[in-house]
Amino acid sequence: MLPRTLLQLVAILLALFAAPTFAADITFSGKVAYRERMALPAGAALNVTLVSLPGLGRVAGAQAALDGKASSPIQFTLNVQSGVLSKGGSYGLVAEIWSDGYPIFTNVQPVPVDPAAPSGILIPVQYFTPPPHPAPEQVLPPAETPNPLLDIVWTVTSIGGEPILPASKVTLSIAADHRVGGTGGCNSYFSEADFSAPPLTFSPIAGTRMACDPAIMEQEARFFAALGATVGYELKGDTLKLFDAAGVPLVGFVRQP
């Protein structure tokens, strides 16, 4: 009968022999070469990818930054765990040199490699003109719709729902710079239109100080007061109405021919 210590030693040896063996990594190495005599741009990087053949499935890959002074040929190494390689499988290497987000060199067809002879590999690559950067899209401001009230002489037909006095003429015009002018029936007046919010308001009225028939003067005062109370308008064809905050019509106009 074997001593106890000898049995333990035999057991340990058997366990060692039964343990799985781990194969070493495979290092593919060689050169990436191109014919063009050119210095690579700053920030260029080399990508080397191991693919399965013929399906071009990615197996492993690595990237290395180039210093911008690198030139052909460029040395490379790619470490691959042997466990990811299938026994009897076919493999190839693809090399790409990237710059500014685009590949500028690449090999059209993968270079076949043998994991049993992974060194001394030459990968010829061809130059590809990178696509131009798209010009930034120019965003134009939306076209402004012409204001239909501007640069028109409007003749008053009614004030507060009542027709204006016979033989009197009251007008309103708004220039492109929103300056307002016209005649109140007796005096010329000046103001400024605001089309922000609410839709239409007028600044305080300024004008001449002529004296006319009392009825004309009273009508003119009511017209100026209506302009001061205006907060909106309604335009239908050749007619225009001004409204107060309660929606009550203040002044009616017709487009002057």
Side-chain angles (χ1 to χ4, degrees):
M1 183 175 182
L2 292 173
R4 183 178 181 82
T5 55
L6 182 58
L7 287 174
Q8 291 176 340
L9 179 60
V10 172
I12 292 173
L13 290 174
L14 289 175
L16 290 174
F17 285 129
T21 58
F22 295 91
D25 293 348
I26 298 175
T27 300
F28 294 95
S29 63
K31 298 177 181 179
V32 175
Y34 52 87
R35 295 181 178 180
E36 289 77 7
R37 296 181 179 272
M38 59 179 289
L40 297 178
L46 173 65
N47 289 354
V48 178
T49 305
L50 180 69
V51 297
S52 59
L53 299 177
L56 302 182
R58 186 182 187 278
V59 178
Q63 182 184 82
L66 304 173
D67 60 6
K69 297 180 181 179
S71 59
S72 179
I74 302 171
Q75 301 280 349
F76 78 89
T77 59
L78 176 63
N79 295 322
V80 179
Q81 293 182 353
S82 59
V84 302
L85 302 179
S86 302
K87 186 177 180 180
S90 298
Y91 299 94
L93 285 176
V94 175
E96 295 176 324
I97 298 176
W98 284 68
S99 174
D100 201 17
Y102 298 98
I104 57 174
F105 285 97
T106 187
N107 51 318
V108 179
Q109 296 294 333
V111 174
V113 294
D114 183 359
S119 60
I121 302 169
L122 177 63
I123 306 178
V125 293
Q126 299 178 6
Y127 179 74
F128 283 81
T129 303
H133 291 291
E137 183 178 355
Q138 185 178 8
V139 179
L140 298 177
E144 293 187 4
T145 303
N147 191 318
L149 270 60
L150 303 183
D151 295 325
I152 296 173
V153 176
W154 298 95
T155 300
V156 176
T157 57
S158 63
I159 301 173
E162 298 180 4
I164 64 170
L165 297 172
S168 66
K169 186 173 184 179
V170 184
T171 62
L172 169 84
S173 63
I174 306 174
D177 60 1
H178 295 182
R179 287 183 299 170
V180 178
T183 175
C186 178
N187 289 280
S188 298
Y189 69 94
F190 312 95
S191 179
E192 186 172 347
D194 185 354
F195 288 95
S196 53
L200 174 60
T201 58
F202 296 96
S203 65
I205 304 296
T208 58
R209 296 181 179 273
M210 295 176 57
C212 299
D213 182 271
I216 296 293
M217 297 292 292
E218 190 273 336
Q219 176 180 269
E220 184 177 78
R222 289 192 294 116
F223 173 61
F224 290 162
L227 294 183
T230 297
V231 296
Y233 67 91
E234 178 185 75
L235 178 64
K236 290 184 177 181
D238 290 335
T239 62
L240 171 67
K241 290 182 179 180
L242 304 182
F243 294 89
D244 64 9
V248 176
L250 298 175
V251 185
F253 299 86
V254 65
R255 184 195 302 263
Q256 181 172 300

